[in-house]
Amino acid sequence: PNEALSWLLSSVVYTFRDEGSEAVSRVEKALRLSPLDPMLYFFESLAGSAYLAAGDYDKALDFSTRSLERNDRHVSTLRARICALHKLGRCEEAREMAGVLMARLPNFTVSSYLKSHPSADFQFGQSIAGALTASGVPYGGK
């Protein structure tokens, strides 16, 4: 009950299965248990995703932005930030962030994301894919 990483990683399961409320509850507990964790960028990244699943795009953007300030190389955080920006109607910023993603991973495509990501068959994964596509990330092959 006091293992922050367990709470954090369990939130991912709920995030990917579109159970945003439970994902947020679990990620918030993880953050309370380890507020100064040396991997805080990872906690904040997953918090951003949990808030995306819960439909709280402002908090998703806040957490993904803070995570990227601590570690700007974490690609899943870039995807979450693109989605949050897109959902908030900040499409130009989402396109700029998609450019950052493509500079880091030039061969990345939405179709490869959908083939490999565990949430691809859920609304969460489809939402990320839609935001990436709308922000200029190439779809790629089938």
mmCIF file of all heavy atoms in Angstrom, residues 18-47:
data_model
loop_
_atom_site.group_PDB
_atom_site.id
_atom_site.type_symbol
_atom_site.label_atom_id
_atom_site.label_comp_id
_atom_site.label_asym_id
_atom_site.label_seq_id
_atom_site.Cartn_x
_atom_site.Cartn_y
_atom_site.Cartn_z
ATOM 1 N N ASP A 18 -9.198 3.094 -20.572
ATOM 2 C CA ASP A 18 -10.199 4.161 -20.566
ATOM 3 C C ASP A 18 -10.920 4.313 -19.234
ATOM 4 O O ASP A 18 -12.059 4.756 -19.181
ATOM 5 C CB ASP A 18 -11.250 3.956 -21.683
ATOM 6 C CG ASP A 18 -10.640 3.891 -23.058
ATOM 7 O OD1 ASP A 18 -9.632 4.576 -23.289
ATOM 8 O OD2 ASP A 18 -11.184 3.163 -23.908
ATOM 9 N N GLU A 19 -10.258 3.972 -18.162
ATOM 10 C CA GLU A 19 -10.837 4.137 -16.827
ATOM 11 C C GLU A 19 -10.115 5.293 -16.135
ATOM 12 O O GLU A 19 -9.378 5.127 -15.174
ATOM 13 C CB GLU A 19 -10.726 2.839 -16.037
ATOM 14 C CG GLU A 19 -11.518 1.705 -16.684
ATOM 15 C CD GLU A 19 -11.414 0.398 -15.936
ATOM 16 O OE1 GLU A 19 -11.551 0.405 -14.699
ATOM 17 O OE2 GLU A 19 -11.194 -0.636 -16.598
ATOM 18 N N GLY A 20 -10.345 6.499 -16.683
ATOM 19 C CA GLY A 20 -9.611 7.677 -16.277
ATOM 20 C C GLY A 20 -9.736 8.046 -14.821
ATOM 21 O O GLY A 20 -8.748 8.444 -14.184
ATOM 22 N N SER A 21 -10.914 7.921 -14.252
ATOM 23 C CA SER A 21 -11.102 8.295 -12.851
ATOM 24 C C SER A 21 -10.230 7.445 -11.928
ATOM 25 O O SER A 21 -9.561 7.963 -11.022
ATOM 26 C CB SER A 21 -12.582 8.146 -12.481
ATOM 27 O OG SER A 21 -12.782 8.480 -11.136
ATOM 28 N N GLU A 22 -10.213 6.158 -12.156
ATOM 29 C CA GLU A 22 -9.377 5.268 -11.341
ATOM 30 C C GLU A 22 -7.903 5.506 -11.617
ATOM 31 O O GLU A 22 -7.066 5.459 -10.706
ATOM 32 C CB GLU A 22 -9.741 3.802 -11.590
ATOM 33 C CG GLU A 22 -9.003 2.818 -10.699
ATOM 34 C CD GLU A 22 -9.312 2.969 -9.212
ATOM 35 O OE1 GLU A 22 -10.383 3.472 -8.845
ATOM 36 O OE2 GLU A 22 -8.457 2.556 -8.392
ATOM 37 N N ALA A 23 -7.558 5.771 -12.863
ATOM 38 C CA ALA A 23 -6.162 6.064 -13.209
ATOM 39 C C ALA A 23 -5.678 7.299 -12.459
ATOM 40 O O ALA A 23 -4.567 7.309 -11.901
ATOM 41 C CB ALA A 23 -6.026 6.268 -14.717
ATOM 42 N N VAL A 24 -6.491 8.337 -12.435
ATOM 43 C CA VAL A 24 -6.123 9.573 -11.731
ATOM 44 C C VAL A 24 -5.984 9.313 -10.239
ATOM 45 O O VAL A 24 -5.032 9.772 -9.602
ATOM 46 C CB VAL A 24 -7.150 10.688 -12.027
ATOM 47 C CG1 VAL A 24 -7.006 11.847 -11.050
ATOM 48 C CG2 VAL A 24 -6.993 11.177 -13.461
ATOM 49 N N SER A 25 -6.916 8.584 -9.669
ATOM 50 C CA SER A 25 -6.848 8.270 -8.234
ATOM 51 C C SER A 25 -5.539 7.567 -7.887
ATOM 52 O O SER A 25 -4.864 7.908 -6.910
ATOM 53 C CB SER A 25 -8.045 7.391 -7.849
ATOM 54 O OG SER A 25 -7.947 6.985 -6.520
ATOM 55 N N ARG A 26 -5.154 6.627 -8.702
ATOM 56 C CA ARG A 26 -3.931 5.863 -8.445
ATOM 57 C C ARG A 26 -2.669 6.692 -8.669
ATOM 58 O O ARG A 26 -1.721 6.604 -7.901
ATOM 59 C CB ARG A 26 -3.912 4.592 -9.302
ATOM 60 C CG ARG A 26 -4.908 3.574 -8.808
ATOM 61 C CD ARG A 26 -5.129 2.421 -9.775
ATOM 62 N NE ARG A 26 -6.080 1.496 -9.217
ATOM 63 C CZ ARG A 26 -5.751 0.436 -8.482
ATOM 64 N NH1 ARG A 26 -4.494 0.145 -8.246
ATOM 65 N NH2 ARG A 26 -6.693 -0.349 -7.989
ATOM 66 N N VAL A 27 -2.657 7.505 -9.722
ATOM 67 C CA VAL A 27 -1.461 8.302 -9.991
ATOM 68 C C VAL A 27 -1.300 9.393 -8.934
ATOM 69 O O VAL A 27 -0.182 9.722 -8.533
ATOM 70 C CB VAL A 27 -1.448 8.851 -11.429
ATOM 71 C CG1 VAL A 27 -2.290 10.108 -11.582
ATOM 72 C CG2 VAL A 27 -0.030 9.122 -11.897
ATOM 73 N N GLU A 28 -2.414 9.946 -8.459
ATOM 74 C CA GLU A 28 -2.323 10.944 -7.393
ATOM 75 C C GLU A 28 -1.758 10.337 -6.112
ATOM 76 O O GLU A 28 -0.964 10.969 -5.418
ATOM 77 C CB GLU A 28 -3.687 11.580 -7.134
ATOM 78 C CG GLU A 28 -4.093 12.556 -8.220
ATOM 79 C CD GLU A 28 -5.473 13.154 -8.014
ATOM 80 O OE1 GLU A 28 -6.232 12.672 -7.145
ATOM 81 O OE2 GLU A 28 -5.793 14.109 -8.742
ATOM 82 N N LYS A 29 -2.150 9.105 -5.809
ATOM 83 C CA LYS A 29 -1.601 8.418 -4.634
ATOM 84 C C LYS A 29 -0.100 8.203 -4.822
ATOM 85 O O LYS A 29 0.690 8.417 -3.890
ATOM 86 C CB LYS A 29 -2.308 7.096 -4.389
ATOM 87 C CG LYS A 29 -1.757 6.373 -3.173
ATOM 88 C CD LYS A 29 -2.706 5.392 -2.567
ATOM 89 C CE LYS A 29 -2.064 4.840 -1.319
ATOM 90 N NZ LYS A 29 -2.995 4.521 -0.293
ATOM 91 N N ALA A 30 0.308 7.800 -6.000
ATOM 92 C CA ALA A 30 1.740 7.601 -6.269
ATOM 93 C C ALA A 30 2.516 8.892 -6.061
ATOM 94 O O ALA A 30 3.593 8.895 -5.454
ATOM 95 C CB ALA A 30 1.930 7.084 -7.700
ATOM 96 N N LEU A 31 1.974 9.991 -6.549
ATOM 97 C CA LEU A 31 2.647 11.282 -6.397
ATOM 98 C C LEU A 31 2.721 11.706 -4.927
ATOM 99 O O LEU A 31 3.731 12.266 -4.490
ATOM 100 C CB LEU A 31 1.938 12.349 -7.226
ATOM 101 C CG LEU A 31 2.161 12.256 -8.734
ATOM 102 C CD1 LEU A 31 1.128 13.081 -9.494
ATOM 103 C CD2 LEU A 31 3.568 12.679 -9.101
ATOM 104 N N ARG A 32 1.674 11.423 -4.159
ATOM 105 C CA ARG A 32 1.703 11.743 -2.720
ATOM 106 C C ARG A 32 2.745 10.903 -1.982
ATOM 107 O O ARG A 32 3.396 11.387 -1.060
ATOM 108 C CB ARG A 32 0.324 11.519 -2.091
ATOM 109 C CG ARG A 32 -0.671 12.613 -2.364
ATOM 110 C CD ARG A 32 -1.915 12.493 -1.483
ATOM 111 N NE ARG A 32 -2.552 11.193 -1.531
ATOM 112 C CZ ARG A 32 -3.449 10.810 -2.440
ATOM 113 N NH1 ARG A 32 -3.806 11.639 -3.416
ATOM 114 N NH2 ARG A 32 -3.989 9.614 -2.398
ATOM 115 N N LEU A 33 2.888 9.645 -2.394
ATOM 116 C CA LEU A 33 3.828 8.751 -1.722
ATOM 117 C C LEU A 33 5.289 9.074 -2.037
ATOM 118 O O LEU A 33 6.181 8.732 -1.267
ATOM 119 C CB LEU A 33 3.538 7.290 -2.096
ATOM 120 C CG LEU A 33 2.288 6.690 -1.472
ATOM 121 C CD1 LEU A 33 1.981 5.341 -2.125
ATOM 122 C CD2 LEU A 33 2.459 6.540 0.035
ATOM 123 N N SER A 34 5.538 9.697 -3.162
ATOM 124 C CA SER A 34 6.918 9.957 -3.569
ATOM 125 C C SER A 34 7.042 11.316 -4.266
ATOM 126 O O SER A 34 7.382 11.397 -5.439
ATOM 127 C CB SER A 34 7.395 8.827 -4.492
ATOM 128 O OG SER A 34 8.785 8.876 -4.645
ATOM 129 N N PRO A 35 6.799 12.408 -3.525
ATOM 130 C CA PRO A 35 6.776 13.730 -4.163
ATOM 131 C C PRO A 35 8.130 14.229 -4.656
ATOM 132 O O PRO A 35 8.182 15.139 -5.480
ATOM 133 C CB PRO A 35 6.231 14.633 -3.056
ATOM 134 C CG PRO A 35 6.623 13.940 -1.793
ATOM 135 C CD PRO A 35 6.537 12.464 -2.100
ATOM 136 N N LEU A 36 9.202 13.646 -4.175
ATOM 137 C CA LEU A 36 10.546 14.081 -4.574
ATOM 138 C C LEU A 36 11.314 12.966 -5.263
ATOM 139 O O LEU A 36 12.537 12.930 -5.236
ATOM 140 C CB LEU A 36 11.323 14.567 -3.344
ATOM 141 C CG LEU A 36 10.677 15.722 -2.583
ATOM 142 C CD1 LEU A 36 11.448 16.030 -1.321
ATOM 143 C CD2 LEU A 36 10.565 16.944 -3.464
ATOM 144 N N ASP A 37 10.599 12.078 -5.882
ATOM 145 C CA ASP A 37 11.208 10.918 -6.527
ATOM 146 C C ASP A 37 12.224 11.359 -7.580
ATOM 147 O O ASP A 37 11.972 12.297 -8.331
ATOM 148 C CB ASP A 37 10.120 10.064 -7.186
ATOM 149 C CG ASP A 37 10.599 8.665 -7.474
ATOM 150 O OD1 ASP A 37 11.372 8.491 -8.435
ATOM 151 O OD2 ASP A 37 10.206 7.761 -6.720
ATOM 152 N N PRO A 38 13.376 10.692 -7.656
ATOM 153 C CA PRO A 38 14.349 11.049 -8.695
ATOM 154 C C PRO A 38 13.816 10.806 -10.116
ATOM 155 O O PRO A 38 14.348 11.357 -11.073
ATOM 156 C CB PRO A 38 15.560 10.157 -8.408
ATOM 157 C CG PRO A 38 15.165 9.230 -7.332
ATOM 158 C CD PRO A 38 13.860 9.671 -6.758
ATOM 159 N N MET A 39 12.773 10.020 -10.229
ATOM 160 C CA MET A 39 12.142 9.766 -11.531
ATOM 161 C C MET A 39 10.824 10.545 -11.644
ATOM 162 O O MET A 39 9.889 10.111 -12.310
ATOM 163 C CB MET A 39 11.873 8.263 -11.690
ATOM 164 C CG MET A 39 13.114 7.405 -11.708
ATOM 165 S SD MET A 39 13.937 7.448 -13.294
ATOM 166 C CE MET A 39 12.752 6.585 -14.304
ATOM 167 N N LEU A 40 10.770 11.718 -11.038
ATOM 168 C CA LEU A 40 9.531 12.492 -11.012
ATOM 169 C C LEU A 40 9.001 12.781 -12.413
ATOM 170 O O LEU A 40 7.791 12.804 -12.638
ATOM 171 C CB LEU A 40 9.724 13.789 -10.223
ATOM 172 C CG LEU A 40 8.463 14.595 -9.932
ATOM 173 C CD1 LEU A 40 7.401 13.756 -9.224
ATOM 174 C CD2 LEU A 40 8.818 15.821 -9.099
ATOM 175 N N TYR A 41 9.894 12.955 -13.383
ATOM 176 C CA TYR A 41 9.429 13.186 -14.759
ATOM 177 C C TYR A 41 8.553 12.032 -15.232
ATOM 178 O O TYR A 41 7.565 12.241 -15.953
ATOM 179 C CB TYR A 41 10.606 13.388 -15.727
ATOM 180 C CG TYR A 41 11.212 12.095 -16.218
ATOM 181 C CD1 TYR A 41 10.730 11.482 -17.366
ATOM 182 C CD2 TYR A 41 12.232 11.463 -15.501
ATOM 183 C CE1 TYR A 41 11.257 10.276 -17.813
ATOM 184 C CE2 TYR A 41 12.766 10.273 -15.946
ATOM 185 C CZ TYR A 41 12.269 9.680 -17.095
ATOM 186 O OH TYR A 41 12.798 8.481 -17.527
ATOM 187 N N PHE A 42 8.895 10.805 -14.832
ATOM 188 C CA PHE A 42 8.134 9.624 -15.234
ATOM 189 C C PHE A 42 6.760 9.625 -14.556
ATOM 190 O O PHE A 42 5.737 9.361 -15.197
ATOM 191 C CB PHE A 42 8.934 8.370 -14.883
ATOM 192 C CG PHE A 42 8.365 7.092 -15.409
ATOM 193 C CD1 PHE A 42 8.140 6.914 -16.758
ATOM 194 C CD2 PHE A 42 8.077 6.044 -14.548
ATOM 195 C CE1 PHE A 42 7.627 5.719 -17.245
ATOM 196 C CE2 PHE A 42 7.572 4.853 -15.022
ATOM 197 C CZ PHE A 42 7.334 4.687 -16.374
ATOM 198 N N PHE A 43 6.730 9.959 -13.273
ATOM 199 C CA PHE A 43 5.468 10.058 -12.540
ATOM 200 C C PHE A 43 4.582 11.115 -13.197
ATOM 201 O O PHE A 43 3.384 10.891 -13.411
ATOM 202 C CB PHE A 43 5.737 10.431 -11.082
ATOM 203 C CG PHE A 43 6.181 9.298 -10.205
ATOM 204 C CD1 PHE A 43 7.384 8.651 -10.426
ATOM 205 C CD2 PHE A 43 5.412 8.888 -9.129
ATOM 206 C CE1 PHE A 43 7.815 7.628 -9.608
ATOM 207 C CE2 PHE A 43 5.828 7.854 -8.292
ATOM 208 C CZ PHE A 43 7.026 7.222 -8.541
ATOM 209 N N GLU A 44 5.166 12.273 -13.511
ATOM 210 C CA GLU A 44 4.396 13.356 -14.119
ATOM 211 C C GLU A 44 3.929 12.990 -15.526
ATOM 212 O O GLU A 44 2.817 13.355 -15.929
ATOM 213 C CB GLU A 44 5.223 14.639 -14.142
ATOM 214 C CG GLU A 44 5.433 15.210 -12.754
ATOM 215 C CD GLU A 44 6.442 16.327 -12.706
ATOM 216 O OE1 GLU A 44 7.336 16.405 -13.588
ATOM 217 O OE2 GLU A 44 6.360 17.134 -11.760
ATOM 218 N N SER A 45 4.739 12.280 -16.256
ATOM 219 C CA SER A 45 4.348 11.833 -17.589
ATOM 220 C C SER A 45 3.110 10.946 -17.522
ATOM 221 O O SER A 45 2.136 11.151 -18.258
ATOM 222 C CB SER A 45 5.499 11.067 -18.249
ATOM 223 O OG SER A 45 5.071 10.527 -19.485
ATOM 224 N N LEU A 46 3.157 9.974 -16.620
ATOM 225 C CA LEU A 46 2.023 9.053 -16.500
ATOM 226 C C LEU A 46 0.807 9.739 -15.891
ATOM 227 O O LEU A 46 -0.333 9.378 -16.204
ATOM 228 C CB LEU A 46 2.434 7.811 -15.722
ATOM 229 C CG LEU A 46 3.526 6.985 -16.420
ATOM 230 C CD1 LEU A 46 3.905 5.774 -15.585
ATOM 231 C CD2 LEU A 46 3.126 6.580 -17.823
ATOM 232 N N ALA A 47 1.043 10.748 -15.056
ATOM 233 C CA ALA A 47 -0.080 11.541 -14.547
ATOM 234 C C ALA A 47 -0.749 12.285 -15.699
ATOM 235 O O ALA A 47 -1.981 12.348 -15.776
ATOM 236 C CB ALA A 47 0.408 12.523 -13.478
#
